[in-house]
Amino acid sequence: MGDQSGALTTYRQAAETYTAALQPLEAAGLKQKPFDWSAGHPAFFTAMYQGLNAIQALALPANAKVVEIGSGSGWLTCYLMGLGYKVKCIEPSAAMIAAARENLDQFAARHAFEMLIPNVEFECATFEDSAAPDDWADGLLFFESLHHLADERRAAAQAFRMLKPGGRLVIVGESNWTPGDDQEPAAMWRAEMDRFGTLESPFTHQYLRHVLDEAGFVDITRHHGVNGFIPVERENATVLEVSTLPAAHVNSFTARRP
């Protein structure tokens, strides 16, 4: 999409109206996500694998502080809270925050985690404009959210600022854009943008690494996602052969603030 930093206000407004544009079945997803009833449940497993891989990659103890960017309706926030983290959710949609609070309350009641509710706080803002404090977070998570940000370079600088020295950044749920081979996904992204007005801006893995490096991050690592059973007969297969979320298609990155 090129430089979209000047359109931040436009995309902020689109985030505020996003839920109002949902059809009834789509709106139900605010409470049902990540569940998927189609054959094989592909969306469920993709979301769960990436979310749980991200939490595992943070490698944090209970009571650690985590920033979740674009927390949406809060389904992953529930797991972060349940694992004992102190979570700061930065989400530009007030309607999404309301849905997340309801989901968190019900999750806490179901698991007798009511005492953990105060561990989660929300800031209704774009990440680029967030006023979260410096050196606050032990971990920072972009889950299916980086492609919605209008200014990825400013976002990387914000992430660096909010993390404590030694804090870890995880990015998952991002398409790895291959220039010249993007007709079908580009049409899908443009249709989504036309319908909701939100930004769908994928990145090449080279550019994403450059943005993180420019912001000051170190130990920038690109990952394959490997999940599920591997038959014994394939025990000598390569990581690439058994990856379910291969790096050629999905940008999964970890990095560290020095």
Side-chain angles (χ1 to χ4, degrees), residues 57 168 171 220-225 245-248 250-255:
R168 292 179 64 82
I171 298 171
I220 302 168
T221 306
R222 185 175 168 224
H223 299 270
H224 293 293
L245 296 166
V250 180
N251 277 326
S252 301
F253 274 87
T254 57

Side-chain angles (χ1 to χ4, degrees), residues 111-216:
H111 296 286
F113 284 159
E114 289 89 349
M115 72 287 193
L116 299 179
I117 287 289
N119 286 353
V120 182
E121 60 179 277
F122 292 89
E123 180 187 3
C124 189
T126 61
F127 185 58
E128 296 94 325
D129 289 334
S130 171
D134 295 354
D135 305 333
W136 183 85
D138 301 292
L140 191 144
L141 174 60
F142 288 94
F143 178 84
E144 297 184 350
S145 59
L146 187 61
H147 58 279
H148 291 313
L149 301 183
D151 192 338
E152 64 277 2
R153 296 172 74 180
R154 186 171 163 189
Q158 283 276 67
F160 190 91
R161 176 184 68 79
M162 293 177 194
L163 281 168
K164 298 176 183 177
R168 292 179 64 82
L169 165 73
V170 180
I171 298 171
V172 292
E174 298 295 320
S175 296
N176 178 39
W177 179 49
T178 303
D181 187 27
D182 65 339
Q183 290 83 359
E184 184 176 343
M188 177 185 68
W189 292 324
R190 290 189 182 279
E192 193 82 355
M193 291 171 59
D194 289 343
R195 181 181 174 197
F196 294 108
T198 51
L199 180 62
E200 304 285 340
S201 184
F203 307 102
T204 65
H205 66 87
Q206 296 95 335
Y207 176 68
L208 192 51
R209 184 184 294 273
H210 164 72
V211 168
L212 295 174
D213 180 69
E214 183 182 55

